[in-house]
């Protein structure tokens, strides 16, 4: 059974028994909603998402492109590969570096 998380996203096709899954468990989401590209998924329940944004440099009156990497939790019911575009949502801190959870995976 997949529960409604309060965000208009496509839910996973499978179900899991992980208590930290936003769809199958009891993890609540709040705050930011960020999209990016998966750079690494070597860890068991974590992916590294890289997002690109433009930043204004006041000295030169121009914009520069910047990147940042965010660690996000991924549950067993979602399948991710390197290069996939994902949406991640902020949640409570799950570990020292993980405060986001993957809510949607697109090819």
């Amino acid at each position: 059974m997949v529960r409604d998380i309060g965000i208009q996203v496509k839910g996973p096709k499978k179900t899991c028994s992980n208590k930290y899954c936003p769809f199958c468990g009891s993890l609540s989401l709040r705050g930011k909603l960020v999209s990016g590209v998966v750079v690494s998924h070597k860890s068991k329940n974590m992916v590294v998402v890289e997002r690109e944004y433009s930043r204004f440099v006041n000295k030169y009156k121009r914009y520069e492109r910047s990147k940042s990497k965010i660690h996000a939790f991924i549950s067993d019911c979602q399948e991710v590969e390197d290069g996939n575009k994902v949406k991640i949502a902020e949640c409570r801190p799950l570990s020292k570096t993980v405060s986001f959870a993957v809510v949607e995976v697109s090819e």
Side-chain angles (χ1 to χ4, degrees):
M1 162 126 175
V2 177
R3 70 182 183 107
D4 182 30
I5 60 171
I7 302 171
Q8 295 293 344
V9 294
K10 292 181 280 184
K13 296 178 178 77
K14 299 188 295 183
T15 59
C16 64
S17 60
N18 196 332
K19 66 179 181 178
Y20 294 130
C21 178
F23 296 100
C24 306
S26 61
L27 183 68
S28 62
L29 304 173
R30 79 260 172 114
K32 296 181 181 180
L33 185 67
V34 180
S35 61
V37 177
V38 174
V39 178
S40 171
H41 73 290
K42 295 175 186 171
S43 179
K44 182 181 175 188
N45 287 328
M46 187 191 74
V47 293
V48 180
V49 178
E50 185 175 70
R51 69 181 193 104
E52 197 171 295
Y53 58 95
S54 59
R55 188 173 70 150
F56 187 70
V57 180
N58 202 19
K59 180 179 178 181
Y60 300 111
K61 306 291 188 224
R62 283 170 173 67
Y63 288 92
E64 71 176 2
R65 287 191 299 185
S66 297
K67 294 178 183 177
S68 68
K69 292 183 179 178
I70 301 171
H71 296 221
F73 173 80
I74 186 154
S75 59
D76 302 329
C77 57
Q78 297 170 330
E79 294 185 13
V80 173
E81 296 176 1
D82 287 350
N84 284 2
K85 291 186 178 182
V86 294
K87 282 187 183 176
I88 57 176
E90 189 178 5
C91 62
R92 67 177 182 81
L94 299 175
S95 70
K96 180 181 175 181
T97 60
V98 178
S99 293
F100 284 84
V102 176
V103 293
E104 184 177 32
V105 180
S106 59
E107 301 303 318

